[in-house]
Amino acid sequence: VYNAFLGEYGEYKTFFHGHSYTGNALACAAACACLDVFAEEGTLEAIQPKISYLEKMLAQEIEPLPHVGEVRQLGLMVGIELVEDRASRTAYPMDSRMGAKVCADVRNRGVILRPLGDVVILMPPLAISKDEIDLLVSAAARSISEVCGA
C-alpha cells in the first residue's frame, strides 16, 4: 500500500486524503462551543424520547415493507436495507441502484436521503421534531413502496 503512493511530486501519487476541517482553528473552536452547549442544555438526554419515537415509527411503517431486509438504528442514525426478496434476503442486482432510486424519489416528498448502495440512510438533525420524524419516515416508506413495488 505504501509503495502505491510513493513517487515524485509531479506523479500525483500522494495520498490525497483529509477532511474539510482538519487543523482548522475556527472549526475546532466552533466544535468546542457546540460541546459546551450539549453539556449545558443536556442535548443527549433530551433526544432520548425522539430516538424511541423514531424506533416506534420505523417498526410501524418501514420494517413491514416487503422489500426491507433489515432496519438498523443507533440513536437517530438509521440504515434501511433494501432487498429484492425479503424471505431469502436476496440483494437487488448491483446495476439496479435501488437505493439511489428511492433517494431520488423521496425528494419529491420533501425529504433528502442518501444511499450507501442499497441501504437508505436516515440521519436527521438532533433538533428534529416529532412531526418531522413522521414526515421523514412516511416519505421514506412511500418511496420504498413505490420504487421497489410493494
Side-chain angles (χ1 to χ4, degrees):
V1 172
Y2 174 80
N3 287 331
F5 298 104
L6 186 61
E8 295 300 317
Y9 181 80
E11 294 178 87
Y12 294 104
K13 292 180 110 179
T14 302
F15 185 55
F16 292 106
H17 180 71
H19 302 284
S20 299
Y21 304 110
T22 301
N24 182 313
L26 180 59
C28 292
C32 288
C34 286
L35 291 174
D36 290 342
V37 170
F38 269 44
E40 291 166 12
E41 295 182 0
T43 301
L44 297 179
E45 295 79 17
I47 64 168
Q48 296 308 312
K50 295 177 189 180
I51 292 169
S52 297
Y53 185 71
L54 177 59
E55 183 177 20
K56 180 182 101 174
M57 296 307 296
L58 292 167
Q60 287 177 2
E61 294 194 37
I62 301 288
E63 288 178 5
L65 297 174
H67 292 281
V68 171
E70 182 180 25
V71 176
R72 300 181 287 274
Q73 180 184 3
L74 181 61
L76 290 177
M77 298 181 296
V78 177
I80 303 167
E81 178 190 24
L82 304 177
V83 294
E84 190 169 39
D85 180 65
R86 181 187 196 125
S88 64
R89 297 272 304 265
T90 302
Y92 282 103
M94 185 64 86
D95 62 349
S96 72
R97 300 177 48 106
M98 294 305 280
K101 289 177 182 176
V102 167
C103 291
D105 184 79
V106 80
R107 288 177 182 229
N108 298 323
R109 303 173 200 286
V111 172
I112 298 174
L113 300 177
R114 66 176 265 219
L116 286 176
D118 284 338
V119 177
V120 175
I121 305 299
L122 282 63
M123 196 177 308
L126 302 180
I128 193 169
S129 69
K130 285 189 174 182
D131 287 342
E132 291 167 330
I133 291 172
D134 290 341
L135 171 64
L136 177 66
V137 173
S138 65
R142 286 194 309 266
S143 288
I144 291 168
S145 293
E146 188 169 309
V147 171
C148 298

